[in-house]
Amino acid sequence: MTSITSPETAGPKRPPSAHAAATHTRRRGNRPSGLPWILPAYVFVVGLLYYCIIETGYLSTLDWDGTSPDPVSVGAQNYVDIFNDPVFWKAIRNTIEFLVVTFTVQTALGFVLAALLHSKIKLAGIYKVIIFTPVIIAAATMAPVFRQLFAADGQLNWTLEHIGLGFLAQPWLAQSSTALPAVMAITVWQFTGLTFVLYYAAMGQIDPEILEAARMDGAGNIRTLLAIIWPSVRGTTVALGMLSVIGALKTFDVPYLVTLGGPNYATEFLGTYIYRISIPSAHVGYGAALSVMLLILALVGSLAVAVRANRERRSHV
Amino acid sequence: MFGSPPVRKRSLAAAVALAAGLALAGCAGAAKTETQNKGAADTGSVTWWGWTPDDTPAKAYITAFNKAYPNIKVTYKKLTIDGYNAALRPALASSVGPDVFDVAPGAANGSVEIYGVDAVDLTPAVSKTLGSDWKNKLSPIGVSSLTVDGQLKALSLGAVYSGTLWINQDLFDKYGLTAPKTYDEWKKVCAALASHNVGCFVQGAGQPAFNEDTLQAISDNVQPGWWGQALKGEVKWTDPAMVKTLTIWKQLFTDGIMQKGALGTQQYPDANNGFMSAKYAMVMMGTWYMQYSTVAGSTAAISGAGVANPKPFTQTAVPFPDVAGTGHVGALYGDADFGLAVNKKSKAINAATTFVTWLGASAEGQQLVANILNDIPALTSAKPNWPQVNLVNAKVQQPSLDKLITDAGKSTEPRLATVSADLQTAIGVASTTVAAGSATPAEAAATLQATADKIKK
């Protein structure tokens, strides 16, 4: 009778990790470097992306109008000015409010709509198209529509007046108190479809047996949604969180096209402020410093979401 | 084959250092020199970028130019006002930018102070066209405001002036109204129009650059000449004249003269479209609106406002009402509207110069400018040839236009030419904070002065 012995049992005993490391080292030693394979992409990324970042960093040390052949070096003065710039802080506050509201509302709507459309609902295909269509419409196309919709004599106020809610009618885009919520509403309308699609796909990966087991244990719809489905799509929520942080920091098209960042900076974001400072005001150096701040905030924000997500995952293990 | 790991690390570090070095080297500003091969003067292709004129007058300019120079093909690209600078800057930095581009005095779009560095000195070309006394033949405002460091960086087509209201005369006639001359009359006209469900006065106060026109009109009514002194820093923005100006500005909102939601409205396209579609009867615009007195100009503008089957209506300019009760009315303030500059990097500098000098300095080109009514011509001898101009309602409009052109010719008050972008922003902020009620006129004036002090430093 022949017995088959595995290498582990035949040879001298050594820790599996050490064995794996040795194997890995041996393989790496025999293998040619990967540099030639990544070189085209590496050159492209370094040459384009990092070149732009380095150049922006350099520009941020200048007092320059963008065309003059003799820019003046001002060192870190632009950064000092940023910390004393009330419009910058206003833009940060707006960004935080915008992020919290749009992320919360989009996540709630996207999650609920995805759950609903996973149930046996009639005309589900049509609903999916309706929910997702705003994602593919350019903001530039919709901006005039929303300016008209939210205008003092626009369709929203007209509707309110005709359903007996005329006391709520107001010039939505003309007031600091309502302009930012209007921009948030447009953004939620535009991007809920994306949140919905990602949740819909994530929910499709949940093992049906888990849901069935929950049902057998007596869990109702709400309980199943909150205790089973929500934790199962946590990865999607984290990814959406990161995208929302970056998206909020980069917000430009909707506030610029609908409100021009106004009134009185009520809808100013870093993106709109950078544009106004760099282009119409021709302070390219200061605009570059703001861009660097934007980059730093985007990195810090994304890392914060990732770190928090990792901690939560470990605590659940 | 690829070197040992330490060597690779050193190579990588060197590559990064080289990339950084190249990046930094590439950032350094370089002096901009003219293309050596300037091409032929009477043949070639010329691209022209601008935010003005509209396509209709631009087409007319090019068609007339091609009668004189059939072998120069000119292609006009009209960009939006707000997007012009963003498009122009990288285009001029590249080697494929426009051959001819619009510039303007002051901090307006395409500031000649900023983009003049990319433009050819047109002094020799104009001197050749008009002779050595060329300066005496052109409007001084057009020459001085487009000259940078002693070089004529662009050739003005003409000037624009503001300080007028434009009214829909047909609506006024329909409801038996006359243009308001005082603040009280203005309120009464607005109430009368409202009773017919017609908006009164529309202003895009959410696009603050245009608020300056209205503020300057009020200020000229409060105390003539004060605004210009403030721009020069000769008087403080905290002066009672400015507080009074902002107080009246605020009253326009609270007394229902300004349309509801003005702070959420932009002058272009919203206010312009509101007036062109006859939803509103009055708008604060300048002499650039003269072009809509013609059948072609009016029809195109109304169509552009989204009106199906556009029918031109009678648009006329009226003096800004005596809102302060001082009796000082009729002030106009203006600058060279825009100038045509020739790109130093153009491969058709000579053909581009031919086009620019024909339009900006020749009798034929300037007569066309006068007739199209987009600008008051830079060549002082050029006047509109009325029989050749197809006005919507010549009986009403021609006397009004004649007076406007004559009055504008007497004005020496600058509009935007002496305002920096930062000061323009600060004036805009003062206007919107007062309108929104988040600052009193005195507080806004104090903030404006504080900002102006910082700009000086």
PDB file of all heavy atoms in Angstrom, chain A residues 12-30:
ATOM      1  N   PRO A  12      11.558  18.463   7.049  1.00  0.00           N
ATOM      2  CA  PRO A  12      11.641  19.013   8.391  1.00  0.00           C
ATOM      3  C   PRO A  12      10.548  20.058   8.615  1.00  0.00           C
ATOM      4  O   PRO A  12      10.187  20.809   7.717  1.00  0.00           O
ATOM      5  CB  PRO A  12      13.042  19.642   8.422  1.00  0.00           C
ATOM      6  CG  PRO A  12      13.410  19.880   7.001  1.00  0.00           C
ATOM      7  CD  PRO A  12      12.698  18.856   6.212  1.00  0.00           C
ATOM      8  N   LYS A  13      10.061  20.074   9.838  1.00  0.00           N
ATOM      9  CA  LYS A  13       8.968  20.994  10.147  1.00  0.00           C
ATOM     10  C   LYS A  13       9.478  22.431  10.218  1.00  0.00           C
ATOM     11  O   LYS A  13      10.517  22.704  10.789  1.00  0.00           O
ATOM     12  CB  LYS A  13       8.363  20.620  11.509  1.00  0.00           C
ATOM     13  CG  LYS A  13       7.644  19.299  11.515  1.00  0.00           C
ATOM     14  CD  LYS A  13       6.285  19.422  10.863  1.00  0.00           C
ATOM     15  CE  LYS A  13       5.549  18.071  10.951  1.00  0.00           C
ATOM     16  NZ  LYS A  13       4.330  18.091  10.159  1.00  0.00           N
ATOM     17  N   ARG A  14       8.816  23.322   9.585  1.00  0.00           N
ATOM     18  CA  ARG A  14       9.119  24.735   9.741  1.00  0.00           C
ATOM     19  C   ARG A  14       7.818  25.535   9.645  1.00  0.00           C
ATOM     20  O   ARG A  14       6.848  25.040   9.071  1.00  0.00           O
ATOM     21  CB  ARG A  14      10.135  25.212   8.720  1.00  0.00           C
ATOM     22  CG  ARG A  14       9.678  25.063   7.281  1.00  0.00           C
ATOM     23  CD  ARG A  14      10.808  25.532   6.372  1.00  0.00           C
ATOM     24  NE  ARG A  14      10.424  25.343   4.971  1.00  0.00           N
ATOM     25  CZ  ARG A  14      11.283  25.526   3.989  1.00  0.00           C
ATOM     26  NH1 ARG A  14      12.534  25.869   4.250  1.00  0.00           N
ATOM     27  NH2 ARG A  14      10.896  25.377   2.756  1.00  0.00           N
ATOM     28  N   PRO A  15       7.806  26.669  10.208  1.00  0.00           N
ATOM     29  CA  PRO A  15       6.558  27.429  10.229  1.00  0.00           C
ATOM     30  C   PRO A  15       6.052  27.690   8.811  1.00  0.00           C
ATOM     31  O   PRO A  15       6.843  27.982   7.924  1.00  0.00           O
ATOM     32  CB  PRO A  15       6.928  28.755  10.913  1.00  0.00           C
ATOM     33  CG  PRO A  15       8.233  28.523  11.562  1.00  0.00           C
ATOM     34  CD  PRO A  15       8.895  27.418  10.832  1.00  0.00           C
ATOM     35  N   PRO A  16       4.745  27.578   8.580  1.00  0.00           N
ATOM     36  CA  PRO A  16       4.194  27.800   7.225  1.00  0.00           C
ATOM     37  C   PRO A  16       4.556  29.172   6.683  1.00  0.00           C
ATOM     38  O   PRO A  16       4.832  29.327   5.501  1.00  0.00           O
ATOM     39  CB  PRO A  16       2.679  27.685   7.435  1.00  0.00           C
ATOM     40  CG  PRO A  16       2.503  26.947   8.717  1.00  0.00           C
ATOM     41  CD  PRO A  16       3.704  27.214   9.546  1.00  0.00           C
ATOM     42  N   SER A  17       4.569  30.156   7.539  1.00  0.00           N
ATOM     43  CA  SER A  17       4.845  31.510   7.054  1.00  0.00           C
ATOM     44  C   SER A  17       6.269  31.627   6.530  1.00  0.00           C
ATOM     45  O   SER A  17       6.519  32.252   5.511  1.00  0.00           O
ATOM     46  CB  SER A  17       4.614  32.526   8.165  1.00  0.00           C
ATOM     47  OG  SER A  17       5.467  32.220   9.247  1.00  0.00           O
ATOM     48  N   ALA A  18       7.184  30.972   7.237  1.00  0.00           N
ATOM     49  CA  ALA A  18       8.579  31.011   6.790  1.00  0.00           C
ATOM     50  C   ALA A  18       8.712  30.316   5.443  1.00  0.00           C
ATOM     51  O   ALA A  18       9.418  30.771   4.546  1.00  0.00           O
ATOM     52  CB  ALA A  18       9.474  30.341   7.827  1.00  0.00           C
ATOM     53  N   HIS A  19       7.985  29.210   5.309  1.00  0.00           N
ATOM     54  CA  HIS A  19       8.028  28.483   4.045  1.00  0.00           C
ATOM     55  C   HIS A  19       7.484  29.358   2.900  1.00  0.00           C
ATOM     56  O   HIS A  19       8.079  29.451   1.835  1.00  0.00           O
ATOM     57  CB  HIS A  19       7.178  27.208   4.179  1.00  0.00           C
ATOM     58  CG  HIS A  19       6.952  26.502   2.872  1.00  0.00           C
ATOM     59  ND1 HIS A  19       7.958  25.803   2.251  1.00  0.00           N
ATOM     60  CD2 HIS A  19       5.859  26.424   2.068  1.00  0.00           C
ATOM     61  CE1 HIS A  19       7.487  25.308   1.109  1.00  0.00           C
ATOM     62  NE2 HIS A  19       6.216  25.678   0.985  1.00  0.00           N
ATOM     63  N   ALA A  20       6.357  29.986   3.203  1.00  0.00           N
ATOM     64  CA  ALA A  20       5.754  30.841   2.163  1.00  0.00           C
ATOM     65  C   ALA A  20       6.694  31.981   1.776  1.00  0.00           C
ATOM     66  O   ALA A  20       6.859  32.303   0.603  1.00  0.00           O
ATOM     67  CB  ALA A  20       4.436  31.427   2.666  1.00  0.00           C
ATOM     68  N   ALA A  21       7.356  32.540   2.809  1.00  0.00           N
ATOM     69  CA  ALA A  21       8.265  33.659   2.526  1.00  0.00           C
ATOM     70  C   ALA A  21       9.429  33.203   1.673  1.00  0.00           C
ATOM     71  O   ALA A  21       9.838  33.879   0.733  1.00  0.00           O
ATOM     72  CB  ALA A  21       8.772  34.244   3.843  1.00  0.00           C
ATOM     73  N   ALA A  22       9.947  32.015   2.002  1.00  0.00           N
ATOM     74  CA  ALA A  22      11.076  31.503   1.216  1.00  0.00           C
ATOM     75  C   ALA A  22      10.671  31.268  -0.230  1.00  0.00           C
ATOM     76  O   ALA A  22      11.392  31.616  -1.165  1.00  0.00           O
ATOM     77  CB  ALA A  22      11.571  30.198   1.850  1.00  0.00           C
ATOM     78  N   THR A  23       9.498  30.663  -0.403  1.00  0.00           N
ATOM     79  CA  THR A  23       8.998  30.399  -1.750  1.00  0.00           C
ATOM     80  C   THR A  23       8.839  31.709  -2.521  1.00  0.00           C
ATOM     81  O   THR A  23       9.242  31.834  -3.670  1.00  0.00           O
ATOM     82  CB  THR A  23       7.631  29.684  -1.660  1.00  0.00           C
ATOM     83  OG1 THR A  23       7.797  28.549  -0.825  1.00  0.00           O
ATOM     84  CG2 THR A  23       7.147  29.278  -3.032  1.00  0.00           C
ATOM     85  N   HIS A  24       8.265  32.680  -1.804  1.00  0.00           N
ATOM     86  CA  HIS A  24       7.998  33.968  -2.442  1.00  0.00           C
ATOM     87  C   HIS A  24       9.302  34.630  -2.877  1.00  0.00           C
ATOM     88  O   HIS A  24       9.438  35.119  -4.002  1.00  0.00           O
ATOM     89  CB  HIS A  24       7.247  34.853  -1.437  1.00  0.00           C
ATOM     90  CG  HIS A  24       6.874  36.172  -2.006  1.00  0.00           C
ATOM     91  ND1 HIS A  24       5.963  36.302  -3.027  1.00  0.00           N
ATOM     92  CD2 HIS A  24       7.296  37.413  -1.711  1.00  0.00           C
ATOM     93  CE1 HIS A  24       5.832  37.568  -3.335  1.00  0.00           C
ATOM     94  NE2 HIS A  24       6.634  38.257  -2.540  1.00  0.00           N
ATOM     95  N   THR A  25      10.336  34.572  -1.964  1.00  0.00           N
ATOM     96  CA  THR A  25      11.622  35.182  -2.274  1.00  0.00           C
ATOM     97  C   THR A  25      12.256  34.503  -3.477  1.00  0.00           C
ATOM     98  O   THR A  25      12.806  35.145  -4.363  1.00  0.00           O
ATOM     99  CB  THR A  25      12.570  35.070  -1.058  1.00  0.00           C
ATOM    100  OG1 THR A  25      11.887  35.597   0.053  1.00  0.00           O
ATOM    101  CG2 THR A  25      13.857  35.832  -1.294  1.00  0.00           C
ATOM    102  N   ARG A  26      12.176  33.122  -3.487  1.00  0.00           N
ATOM    103  CA  ARG A  26      12.782  32.368  -4.570  1.00  0.00           C
ATOM    104  C   ARG A  26      12.126  32.748  -5.897  1.00  0.00           C
ATOM    105  O   ARG A  26      12.782  32.994  -6.883  1.00  0.00           O
ATOM    106  CB  ARG A  26      12.608  30.871  -4.275  1.00  0.00           C
ATOM    107  CG  ARG A  26      13.491  29.984  -5.109  1.00  0.00           C
ATOM    108  CD  ARG A  26      13.601  28.579  -4.530  1.00  0.00           C
ATOM    109  NE  ARG A  26      12.330  27.963  -4.284  1.00  0.00           N
ATOM    110  CZ  ARG A  26      11.889  27.598  -3.079  1.00  0.00           C
ATOM    111  NH1 ARG A  26      12.617  27.808  -1.999  1.00  0.00           N
ATOM    112  NH2 ARG A  26      10.716  27.003  -2.945  1.00  0.00           N
ATOM    113  N   ARG A  27      10.770  32.826  -5.862  1.00  0.00           N
ATOM    114  CA  ARG A  27      10.057  33.137  -7.109  1.00  0.00           C
ATOM    115  C   ARG A  27      10.439  34.541  -7.601  1.00  0.00           C
ATOM    116  O   ARG A  27      10.641  34.770  -8.765  1.00  0.00           O
ATOM    117  CB  ARG A  27       8.549  33.086  -6.868  1.00  0.00           C
ATOM    118  CG  ARG A  27       8.015  31.683  -6.892  1.00  0.00           C
ATOM    119  CD  ARG A  27       6.513  31.710  -6.746  1.00  0.00           C
ATOM    120  NE  ARG A  27       6.002  30.386  -6.528  1.00  0.00           N
ATOM    121  CZ  ARG A  27       4.819  30.135  -5.988  1.00  0.00           C
ATOM    122  NH1 ARG A  27       4.044  31.129  -5.594  1.00  0.00           N
ATOM    123  NH2 ARG A  27       4.399  28.909  -5.828  1.00  0.00           N
ATOM    124  N   ARG A  28      10.517  35.463  -6.642  1.00  0.00           N
ATOM    125  CA  ARG A  28      10.801  36.838  -7.038  1.00  0.00           C
ATOM    126  C   ARG A  28      12.202  36.937  -7.645  1.00  0.00           C
ATOM    127  O   ARG A  28      12.443  37.653  -8.591  1.00  0.00           O
ATOM    128  CB  ARG A  28      10.678  37.764  -5.820  1.00  0.00           C
ATOM    129  CG  ARG A  28      10.610  39.207  -6.213  1.00  0.00           C
ATOM    130  CD  ARG A  28      10.244  40.074  -5.054  1.00  0.00           C
ATOM    131  NE  ARG A  28      11.170  39.913  -3.956  1.00  0.00           N
ATOM    132  CZ  ARG A  28      11.033  40.518  -2.778  1.00  0.00           C
ATOM    133  NH1 ARG A  28      10.001  41.266  -2.535  1.00  0.00           N
ATOM    134  NH2 ARG A  28      11.925  40.338  -1.827  1.00  0.00           N
ATOM    135  N   GLY A  29      13.138  36.140  -7.057  1.00  0.00           N
ATOM    136  CA  GLY A  29      14.507  36.172  -7.555  1.00  0.00           C
ATOM    137  C   GLY A  29      14.601  35.660  -8.976  1.00  0.00           C
ATOM    138  O   GLY A  29      15.403  36.144  -9.761  1.00  0.00           O
ATOM    139  N   ASN A  30      13.756  34.690  -9.321  1.00  0.00           N
ATOM    140  CA  ASN A  30      13.821  34.112 -10.656  1.00  0.00           C
ATOM    141  C   ASN A  30      13.079  34.935 -11.693  1.00  0.00           C
ATOM    142  O   ASN A  30      13.221  34.695 -12.875  1.00  0.00           O
ATOM    143  CB  ASN A  30      13.198  32.701 -10.628  1.00  0.00           C
ATOM    144  CG  ASN A  30      14.045  31.783  -9.767  1.00  0.00           C
ATOM    145  OD1 ASN A  30      15.219  32.074  -9.554  1.00  0.00           O
ATOM    146  ND2 ASN A  30      13.444  30.722  -9.255  1.00  0.00           N
TER     147      ASN A  30
END
